[in-house]
Amino acid sequence: MKHLLAGMAVALGLSGAAAADPVLGVWKTQPDDGSYAHIQMAKCGAAVCGKIARTFNSEGEYKSPNIGKTLVIDMVPNGDGSYEGKVWRPSNDKVYIGKMDMAGNSLALRGCVAGGLICSKQTWTRIK
């Protein structure tokens, strides 16, 4: 009986790990106004959020006042590798309609205005 319970616990643990959202982890942004960042994507309720973990410029890593701030806000998965939520752009301190599409170790992120008709896009690369 103990072996059966232990086996069930392991199976449940593995199925929970397999159900983890594939976008979770650390992503490197494209440069924006000469700087780029590492974004830590994590669950935030039923959605995914991304916080600025590290920042870099042409001279290397630096301590931006934006470290720890949420850049990817409440991205809800659509079940096909795409997500919808909001994104914050630190350089102009504006929040936009956000969309993400993940393919392997690449994450296409868009910030949009005008109901999603006009978008600016970045492609991020998975670090871990």
Side-chain angles (χ1 to χ4, degrees), residues 15-117:
S15 67
D21 195 308
V23 80
L24 303 181
V26 179
W27 296 83
K28 177 183 174 185
T29 69
Q30 278 184 239
D32 186 13
D33 291 336
S35 298
Y36 69 93
H38 289 178
I39 308 299
Q40 176 68 55
M41 302 289 268
K43 294 294 278 180
C44 55
V48 173
C49 295
K51 290 189 178 191
I52 300 171
R54 298 171 72 187
T55 51
F56 303 83
N57 60 22
S58 60
E59 298 174 12
E61 187 169 6
Y62 73 103
K63 297 293 181 195
S64 166
N66 294 324
I67 291 175
K69 292 185 179 178
T70 303
L71 186 79
V72 176
I73 306 162
D74 296 329
M75 285 285 185
V76 177
N78 293 322
D80 60 356
S82 69
Y83 299 76
E84 294 182 12
K86 296 178 184 174
V87 293
W88 171 62
R89 185 175 183 199
S91 62
N92 65 4
D93 195 29
K94 293 192 179 198
V95 175
Y96 298 93
I97 296 168
K99 299 179 181 193
M100 297 189 313
D101 292 292
M102 191 180 112
N105 289 323
S106 182
L107 185 65
L109 187 108
R110 296 178 307 284
C112 307
V113 295
L117 296 175

